[in-house]
Amino acid sequence: MKKRHISKECLEETGFSYTLSLINGKYKMTILYTLMEFNIVRFNEMKKYIGKISYKTLSATLKELETDQLVHREEYPQIPPKVEYSLTERGKSLIPILDTMCEWGEQNRASAEG
């Protein structure tokens, strides 16, 4: 096996860097977690569940996740307007990562609080 040397490597060319570029942001992981837990969520429900997020930030973050094909937005032509969000298949492929993070948190939360 060939030994790697950091001077010949570039973080931006890694799968880790690509993944991070999609999920990095103050609320992206929170939104993905919310959709993982509740499947289909309306905008106001998500705003209430997350709490300290502005409407503008939630809207902008959802648009970014939709552009990156992680979140699906379904708009229903009715009055008042109804919009629902869910994970795409690509977004669902992040569920094992989110599950692992949840497990790690449960295992380590008690010791950190203790």
Side-chain angles (χ1 to χ4, degrees), residues 34-98:
T34 302
L35 294 173
M36 177 187 81
E37 288 294 303
F38 299 103
N39 297 319
I40 298 172
V41 181
R42 293 179 70 177
F43 184 91
N44 286 331
E45 294 172 329
M46 192 174 312
K47 165 75 174 88
K48 184 178 177 183
Y49 178 73
I50 294 172
K52 297 181 181 182
I53 185 173
S54 71
Y55 287 100
K56 182 179 177 181
T57 300
L58 178 56
S59 179
T61 306
L62 282 165
K63 284 178 184 168
E64 288 176 22
L65 290 167
E66 187 180 2
T67 299
D68 291 332
Q69 301 175 345
L70 298 174
V71 169
H72 173 72
R73 180 180 190 271
E74 185 72 37
E75 189 172 346
Y76 297 92
Q78 63 185 50
I79 298 176
K82 177 181 172 182
V83 179
E84 294 178 335
Y85 295 90
S86 60
L87 292 175
T88 62
E89 287 304 312
R90 187 175 191 207
K92 288 176 184 177
S93 70
L94 289 169
I95 289 176
I97 296 167
L98 296 169

Side-chain angles (χ1 to χ4, degrees), residues 13-50:
E13 296 173 3
T14 64
F16 174 81
S17 181
Y18 176 73
T19 304
L20 198 58
S21 75
L22 297 179
I23 63 173
N24 197 20
K26 187 170 182 179
Y27 292 103
K28 285 185 177 182
M29 291 294 286
T30 303
I31 291 168
L32 293 169
Y33 170 80
T34 302
L35 294 173
M36 177 187 81
E37 288 294 303
F38 299 103
N39 297 319
I40 298 172
V41 181
R42 293 179 70 177
F43 184 91
N44 286 331
E45 294 172 329
M46 192 174 312
K47 165 75 174 88
K48 184 178 177 183
Y49 178 73
I50 294 172

